[in-house]
Amino acid sequence: MRGHFREKGIDQAQKVARFCEAHDMQLSLILTSPLRRAHETAKPMAAALRAELMIVPWLASGMHPEAALEELRAYRSQTSVMLVGHEPDFSQLAAHLLGLPTNNAIHVRKGSLTLLELDVFRAGAATLQFSLPCKLM
């Protein structure tokens, strides 16, 4: 069964990459969790989108939104950064960036593409542009 989930993750990553290409989404950097499934998901996207891929330990499962926001400050000179990691971490991070008191009002699905714009690196400063599950791409 483990191989099935791995194949599904790679298929979803390729689908997301094709969607990004088709909609001319330019990425300067993809940051990925060091955990194997996330890294294996990020590799085909980085190749297809010709983006630099960097493994960062803070994206490992159990990431705290405040710590992630602090780590993201180091990449503020990048025009567009994609994060590849885990749930419920991303829903918690999205809620934090959007200024929501909890992540009950937002759920970032596995294999989805969520775009948050952030000009100022602080909680509540992000704008949600979209969140698309893989099945709609």
Side-chain angles (χ1 to χ4, degrees):
M1 198 61 148
R2 182 175 276 165
H4 168 72
F5 289 120
R6 182 178 179 275
E7 289 173 19
K8 181 179 179 183
I10 291 171
D11 288 346
Q12 287 176 333
Q14 291 170 340
K15 197 171 189 179
V16 170
R18 285 191 303 273
F19 181 88
C20 289
E21 280 182 305
H23 292 86
D24 200 30
M25 294 180 170
Q26 304 289 318
L27 292 174
S28 53
L29 179 63
I30 298 175
L31 301 176
T32 183
S33 161
L35 300 181
R36 191 169 126 204
R37 276 188 67 190
H39 187 240
E40 287 176 351
T41 298
K43 283 167 70 173
M45 284 190 288
L49 299 171
R50 294 170 292 288
E52 180 185 355
L53 179 63
M54 186 181 300
I55 299 169
V56 292
W58 55 269
L59 275 173
S61 188
M63 168 188 73
H64 294 281
E66 299 84 7
L69 181 57
E70 187 60 38
E71 293 286 350
L72 283 169
R73 284 189 173 105
Y75 304 98
R76 66 178 165 253
S77 65
Q78 300 288 329
T79 57
S80 184
V81 177
M82 177 182 276
L83 305 179
V84 178
H86 313 281
E87 267 302 299
D89 298 351
F90 280 169
S91 292
Q92 292 169 351
L93 178 59
H96 184 70
L97 294 174
L98 293 167
L100 301 173
T102 69
N103 65 318
N104 292 338
I106 188 165
H107 175 70
V108 179
R109 297 185 57 92
K110 289 181 181 181
S112 68
L113 182 63
T114 300
L115 177 61
L116 297 173
E117 286 189 357
L118 187 64
D119 293 327
V120 179
F121 284 77
R122 65 175 168 75
T127 302
L128 176 65
Q129 296 300 318
F130 62 79
S131 188
L132 279 170
C134 193
K135 68 181 177 181
L136 295 180
M137 289 183 228

